[in-house]
Amino acid sequence: MFIDSHAHLTSPDVYPDIELILARAKDAGIEAIMNICTNPDTLQKGLELSKRYPWVYNSAATTPHDVGREGEEVFSIIAECARNGHLKAIGETGLDYYYTHSPKETQKAFLIRYFHLALECKLPVVIHCRDAFADFFDILDAEYAGRGRGVLHCFTGTIEEAQEVLKRDWYLSLSGIVTFKKSIELKEVAKLVPLNRLLIETDTPYLAPQSHRGKRNEPAYVTEVAKLVAEVKGISLEEVAESTAFNARQLFNL
Ligand code: NI
C-alpha cells in the first residue's frame, strides 16, 4: 500500500473527476492521500472530501506564489482551521525564487508565520522551496528546526541540499520529476536518501511521471515514483511502499 504525500485533489483541474480519480487510486493500492489546499475554496472542498473519504487528509497554506496577493486574508482562515484540529499539516508554504510571483520579503514573512502556526498547533509543515535553499535553511534554523517536523516536498535540489535537509532530520519527498530522463542528479539523491527519511508524492495535477508525461497527474501514478526509487536503490517495490507509507504516517500522525 502506498501513500501519496502531496496532491491537489480539490483544485479545479481535478475536483470534477474526484470520484473516478479516487477509485483508480484505491485500485492502484493507495491507502492515504495528503490533499494540499491552497485557498479557502480548495480548503472547504477538502474538509468535505475527507468526511466522505476518511483516507484523504488535508494540509493548507497559501503558496509562496500567492502570498503577495492574498496571504493576509487567507492566513486567519487557515489558522482557525488548524487550531480547530481540522488539518494534519501546514503547507505548502516556503520560498520560490525561480518564479518570484510574490516579493521575497513577503514570502519569508509568511514562511515564518506558518512555522509559528505549525509550532502552536503541533503540526508538521510541508515546504515548497525552489532556488531559495540558503534563505530557507536560515529561516528554518532560526524559527523552527529542532522544535517541529517537516518535509521538503517535490524535492529537486542538489545532493548537497538534500544532505542539509537530512542533517535536520527532515523528510524529503520525491515526485514524478525523478522519473524524467534528464533527472540524473535527482536519481542520485533518490539513491542516497535513507529509506527512513523518504516520502513519495504525485503533486497532482502537475508533474505526471515519464510514462504519463504531459497528461494530468493523479494519485494512482505515485506507484511510478516508487518503482523508480526501488530501481535506483536496488530494493523491492514492497519495501519502498512500506517504508514511505510508514514515514508519511509518522510525519503526519495518520
Ligand atoms: Ni503542490
Side-chain angles (χ1 to χ4, degrees):
M1 297 292 265
F2 303 85
I3 293 182
D4 182 353
S5 74
H6 192 115
H8 299 270
L9 296 180
T10 48
S11 76
D13 294 339
V14 180
Y15 196 62
D17 300 325
I18 195 66
E19 319 287 336
L20 281 171
I21 287 170
L22 291 178
R24 287 197 290 264
K26 265 277 148 156
D27 287 345
I30 314 304
E31 65 168 78
I33 302 170
M34 184 56 64
N35 178 42
I36 309 294
C37 309
T38 57
N39 56 37
D41 178 61
T42 52
L43 174 57
Q44 153 122 45
K45 289 189 170 79
L47 298 175
E48 288 163 15
L49 190 63
S50 56
K51 280 184 197 147
R52 280 188 286 141
Y53 297 91
W55 50 287
V56 173
Y57 301 91
N58 291 294
S59 177
T62 303
T63 69
H65 307 301
D66 293 333
V67 285
R69 193 166 48 82
E70 59 179 18
E72 194 59 56
E73 57 190 276
V74 176
F75 186 86
S76 58
I77 297 168
I78 289 170
E80 193 194 337
C81 194
R83 288 176 184 130
N84 289 338
H86 297 316
L87 300 179
K88 281 291 185 185
I90 301 295
E92 59 189 287
T93 177
L95 304 174
D96 194 312
Y97 295 174
Y98 180 81
Y99 288 114
T100 323
H101 288 322
S102 296
K104 289 183 183 179
E105 292 310 312
T106 311
Q107 295 187 36
K108 288 188 208 171
F110 275 96
L111 173 59
I112 292 170
R113 288 174 71 177
Y114 279 121
F115 270 149
H116 293 174
L117 178 64
L119 289 175
E120 180 199 323
C121 299
K122 298 188 169 54
L123 291 172
V125 290
V126 176
I127 297 294
H128 171 110
C129 184
R130 192 160 181 202
D131 290 357
F133 279 99
D135 280 0
F136 171 70
F137 287 125
D138 281 351
I139 294 173
L140 171 61
D141 291 342
E143 305 290 341
Y144 192 78
R147 287 173 285 162
R149 45 197 212 286
V151 58
L152 239 306
H153 115 84
C154 190
F155 185 82
T156 53
T158 62
I159 289 171
E160 291 71 30
E161 287 158 350
Q163 276 157 346
E164 291 296 316
V165 175
L166 297 172
K167 235 193 250 173
R168 289 159 176 87
D169 279 333
W170 268 43
Y171 293 93
L172 195 149
S173 179
L174 293 173
S175 70
I177 292 180
V178 76
T179 67
F180 297 171
K181 288 193 189 88
K182 62 166 188 348
S183 298
I184 294 166
E185 184 168 12
L186 200 53
K187 289 189 176 74
E188 286 301 311
V189 169
K191 203 169 173 178
L192 87 90
V193 179
L195 213 41
N196 67 354
R197 296 283 103 196
L198 189 65
L199 301 185
I200 51 175
E201 65 173 82
T202 55
D203 206 6
T204 293
Y206 315 108
L207 305 171
Q210 187 71 43
S211 52
H212 303 275
R213 201 150 176 197
K215 295 195 209 135
R216 181 178 68 185
N217 203 356
E218 60 177 75
Y221 302 161
V222 82
T223 54
E224 297 296 314
V225 181
K227 275 180 206 158
L228 188 286
V229 171
E231 197 182 302
V232 298
K233 283 189 176 303
I235 57 178
S236 71
L237 182 61
E238 289 69 30
E239 208 174 336
V240 174
E242 205 175 292
S243 300
T244 54
F246 177 83
N247 297 340
R249 285 194 291 269
Q250 292 285 116
L251 171 65
F252 297 125
N253 194 22
L254 306 182

